[in-house]
Amino acid sequence: MNTKILFFFGVILLLSGCQDLIEPAIENIQGRDDMLDRPRLAQGILINAYLRIPTNGWSYSEMATDDAVSSNPTNGFLNMATGQWASNNNPVAQWTGAQSAIQYLNVMLEDVDSVDFAVDPIVNQMFVDRLKGESYGLRALFMYYLLQAHGGLADGQLLGIPILTESQNVESEFNLPRNTFEECMTQLYADAELALNLLPLDLGNITDPSLIPSKYQNAGTGQYNRVFGDDAIQLVSGRIVRAVMAQAALLAASPAFNTSGDVQKWQTAAEHAAYILNTIGGVSGLAPNGVTWFTNTSELNSLGGGVNPAEILWRTSIGQSNNLERDNYPPTLFGNGLINPTQNFVDAFPMLNGYPVDLQESGYNPQDPYSGRDPRLRHFVVVNGSTAGPNNNVITTAIDGGNNDALNRVETSTRTGYYLRKLLRQDVNLNPNSTNEQVHVKPRIRYTEIFLIYAEAANEAYGPSGSGTAGYSAYDVIKAIRQRAGIGLENGDPYLESIRNDQAAMRELIRNERRLELSFEGFRFWDLRRWNADLRETAKGITIREGNHEVMNVENRVYNDHMIYGPIPYSETLKFSELKQNNGW
């Protein structure tokens, strides 16, 4: 039988002719012109930009700061923090990915008007407008990430990147100088405004025809929903563009990028943040369960169809996984203990009465350090004696603990006396005999971030109790965030009340609340730099032996002063003489 089958196929091959056997087939490579007749291909150009958004995945850059260390000695952030950060070794670089995304976006903007998306001319125009709006919004987003990672001082000027608003080809001039930081911000705002003119505040189905913009004259809800409806949720919307404007405005107002101390820049950041917050009711719109957004199991398990929890403004796709737990669970839960929060981070949590632990009024006992603390501490960190995992195992990190969770016991044991709890679902089981996965959500932007942007900017623009045009103050926002966390509920948070008119003290409190609320979401490294803060605070841990607690040094932080600004990639400065490197690199 096998011989007959082989003979049959042999005959077929002979009949097909030798020409097809020796000449290669035409490659299935699509050119730029092909997308004009294939709308799905055109939208694929835009998808290439979406795929390059830095917040599509977790970065764990906290391991390069005073908030955490890595248990993996080859980790890029560990090497970066201990003296190996260079222009040719940059784990936080955005240059290549963001520049590639901008090239795709420029191609889209140049060609989208010529693509036929639908026979219906109204629907076709809606598609063109939406894709243009997305492209402008994403171009603003990537400009923000490029300025954050690569903006800096060079030859006495605060520079950004070369502004590219047209796609490049083999005939383009590539040896371009960097535009100033201010010119880049102007371009970012211009792109954002163009996006806002083309996109609705929120994408999703509507039933009221009066909500359709007047420029789509005589359009019905069916036509509108086909383009801007539920199928488009989680694509760039006007709300997302507004959030990018707030993020970028905060960066531009911050000390490292606002060298003249221009208060107007703080006001701009506050206004952009307030615009978003006012659409959800201002301070009253703070999500009650926003502290534990990563482990609100019933809410996460019921997500679908592009729906966001109240805490999340923009997110990636949801899916079942156990990667976060596999990376970060303690060894006895079959994890790799990758991210170890530091004693520095633990000390940043106040007492339940609201006082910082270094104040006498707090009642803090260094030999009973986890009692009477801010509830967020145990939500975010596994401390000695915490329970974790699907069976609520007790995790003992004391050096005399007796198993592999103990300090420095094995390669995957904690180096600081702490394991990460934030981001992880405790109902994930990694036991090889009963491994499971659970739904996880990766936010790109949370509303708490927008509240904290407003608080920081409003404090600088109007003072702690001033409200500008928003109707609420930095004090009001921080009070609501601390109340949500459970701080000072029984005693009226006297520490907060004592500083409500002290701008400098409120600044430090806002920065600390940002450190806690946004911890392990990729903010601390960038915040320290834009604040022009000291990056060299030694990462510390805790040694617990026979019940005695002793703070220890774990890992030095080796940074130079110029490193508040990141480098232009070394390879780019070699290729292009006009591309000035930031000072010190």
Side-chain angles (χ1 to χ4, degrees):
M1 178 62 73
N2 289 339
T3 302
K4 291 181 179 179
I5 292 173
L6 290 171
F7 176 79
F8 175 78
F9 279 110
V11 172
I12 295 295
L13 289 171
L14 287 172
L15 292 175
S16 67
C18 296
Q19 191 73 12
D20 291 338
L21 294 177
I22 61 176
E23 287 191 5
I26 297 174
E27 293 186 17
N28 186 28
I29 298 175
Q30 305 299 317
R32 182 169 173 176
D33 291 341
D34 294 311
M35 83 174 191
L36 302 182
D37 299 318
R38 300 180 62 184
R40 287 188 180 275
L41 181 60
Q43 293 182 60
I45 298 293
L46 194 55
I47 289 171
N48 273 289
Y50 276 103
L51 292 174
R52 286 166 169 77
I53 296 174
T55 51
N56 285 343
W58 300 107
S59 75
Y60 306 142
S61 59
E62 287 80 5
M63 294 185 291
T65 76
D66 52 352
D67 273 3
V69 302
S70 172
S71 66
N72 180 354
T74 65
N75 180 270
F77 292 121
L78 183 154
N79 295 331
M80 176 181 176
T82 53
Q84 297 183 44
W85 191 17
S87 61
N88 61 353
N89 179 32
N90 185 7
V92 294
Q94 298 294 334
W95 192 273
T96 301
Q99 296 281 25
S100 296
I102 289 174
Q103 169 73 358
Y104 282 113
L105 294 168
N106 288 340
V107 169
M108 172 60 74
L109 289 167
E110 289 164 4
D111 292 352
V112 67
D113 284 311
S114 301
V115 180
D116 292 325
F117 293 99
V119 175
D120 183 333
I122 295 177
V123 172
N124 189 72
Q125 188 58 51
M126 288 180 178
F127 271 116
V128 169
D129 288 350
R130 197 198 77 195
L131 269 67
K132 277 185 176 179
E134 291 176 70
S135 298
Y136 284 123
L138 285 169
R139 200 163 72 178
L141 175 72
F142 284 107
M143 176 65 83
Y144 163 62
Y145 284 117
L146 282 165
L147 292 177
Q148 183 187 61
H150 302 289
L153 287 171
D155 292 345
Q157 279 189 301
L158 185 62
L159 299 180
I161 63 163
I163 295 174
L164 298 173
T165 57
E166 297 178 355
S167 64
Q168 295 177 295
N169 56 50
V170 293
E171 297 178 353
S172 297
E173 173 58 69
F174 290 90
N175 191 16
L176 299 173
R178 296 166 64 187
N179 289 85
T180 67
F181 185 89
E182 290 298 329
E183 289 169 342
C184 291
M185 284 298 302
T186 298
Q187 181 64 48
L188 185 155
Y189 286 139
D191 281 344
E193 291 294 341
L194 288 168
L196 293 175
N197 289 332
L198 294 164
L199 297 171
L201 181 66
D202 294 304
L203 298 163
N205 284 350
I206 63 172
T207 57
D208 183 355
S210 69
L211 298 176
I212 301 174
S214 59
K215 63 181 175 179
Y216 306 125
Q217 191 173 8
N218 301 321
T221 57
Q223 293 166 300
Y224 181 88
N225 291 340
R226 180 178 169 187
V227 180
F228 297 106
D230 288 351
D231 289 344
I233 294 176
Q234 300 307 337
L235 298 177
V236 169
S237 66
R239 182 180 299 273
I240 292 165
V241 173
R242 293 277 184 185
V244 172
M245 294 171 79
Q247 292 173 322
L250 183 72
L251 179 74
S254 299
F257 298 97
N258 184 11
T259 53
S260 65
D262 185 354
V263 176
Q264 179 61 46
K265 293 183 178 181
W266 289 111
Q267 184 174 334
T268 299
E271 289 171 350
H272 285 311
Y275 183 98
I276 301 168
L277 299 181
N278 288 342
T279 66
I280 61 170
V283 176
S284 65
L286 187 69
N289 63 350
V291 170
T292 54
W293 60 268
F294 54 92
T295 191
N296 297 331
T297 54
S298 60
E299 185 175 58
L300 292 176
N301 292 341
S302 64
L303 282 179
V307 177
N308 284 342
E311 169 59 20
I312 295 177
L313 189 154
W314 191 26
R315 63 171 174 82
T316 62
S317 299
I318 58 173
Q320 291 201 337
S321 67
N322 56 23
N323 295 332
L324 281 169
E325 292 75 23
R326 193 172 299 280
D327 283 344
N328 294 294
Y329 265 0
T332 61
L333 298 181
F334 305 96
N336 292 316
L338 174 66
I339 301 174
N340 302 162
T342 60
Q343 186 65 43
N344 317 55
F345 178 65
V346 170
D347 287 345
F349 290 87
M351 298 295 286
L352 191 61
N353 60 23
Y355 285 101
V357 297
D358 59 352
L359 294 184
Q360 185 175 356
E361 298 95 325
S362 70
Y364 173 69
N365 180 358
Q367 292 305 318
D368 186 17
Y370 314 125
S371 296
R373 297 294 292 277
D374 177 344
R376 290 175 295 189
L377 173 58
R378 289 182 182 267
H379 286 311
F380 298 169
V381 179
V382 176
V383 304
N384 184 52
S386 291
T387 59
N391 299 314
N392 290 316
N393 297 47
V394 175
I395 307 300
T396 303
T397 65
I399 200 167
D400 51 3
N403 61 38
N404 288 343
D405 294 338
L407 183 73
N408 292 326
R409 182 63 59 89
V410 294
E411 287 184 355
T412 54
S413 300
T414 177
R415 298 173 58 209
T416 62
Y418 301 105
Y419 292 99
L420 182 68
R421 189 181 187 94
K422 189 176 178 182
L423 311 181
L424 313 185
R425 284 191 56 156
Q426 300 302 311
D427 51 353
V428 165
N429 193 340
L430 296 180
N431 188 315
N433 297 320
S434 53
T435 301
N436 70 346
E437 297 181 337
Q438 297 291 356
V439 172
H440 292 72
V441 60
K442 170 63 178 71
R444 289 195 180 109
I445 302 173
R446 291 202 292 128
Y447 278 105
T448 295
E449 179 193 352
I450 308 302
F451 277 104
L452 288 163
I453 288 174
Y454 177 80
E456 183 176 348
N459 183 57
E460 303 299 336
Y462 318 123
S465 299
S467 59
T469 59
Y472 43 89
S473 65
Y475 161 83
D476 294 328
V477 169
I478 296 303
K479 181 177 181 179
I481 287 175
R482 284 163 69 89
Q483 285 181 338
R484 180 180 70 176
I487 297 172
L489 298 183
E490 295 184 0
N491 63 345
D493 202 349
Y495 177 72
L496 177 61
E497 296 304 317
S498 71
I499 65 167
R500 65 179 300 169
N501 294 312
D502 185 333
Q503 187 181 50
M506 186 64 75
R507 178 184 302 125
E508 293 307 309
L509 181 60
I510 291 168
R511 289 182 178 184
N512 196 69
E513 286 296 318
R514 185 176 172 93
R515 180 181 190 177
L516 302 181
E517 287 282 341
L518 304 182
S519 58
F520 303 103
E521 297 178 51
F523 288 91
R524 179 69 173 169
F525 175 76
W526 306 106
D527 283 344
L528 287 171
R529 293 172 65 238
R530 69 179 177 82
W531 291 331
N532 204 1
D534 188 1
L535 299 170
R536 291 168 290 207
E537 184 174 337
T538 300
K540 299 179 180 180
I542 193 77
T543 300
I544 307 172
R545 190 193 307 270
E546 297 181 352
N548 294 315
H549 296 68
E550 183 178 352
V551 175
M552 63 175 179
N553 292 337
V554 175
E555 193 171 271
N556 291 332
R557 293 287 176 257
V558 183
Y559 293 107
N560 295 318
D561 290 343
H562 69 271
M563 291 179 175
I564 60 166
Y565 306 115
I568 305 299
Y570 178 66
S571 59
E572 297 296 299
T573 60
L574 284 180
K575 289 184 290 186
F576 306 119
S577 59
E578 291 293 321
L579 203 59
K580 292 181 180 179
Q581 180 62 277
N582 287 331
N583 296 345
W585 294 98

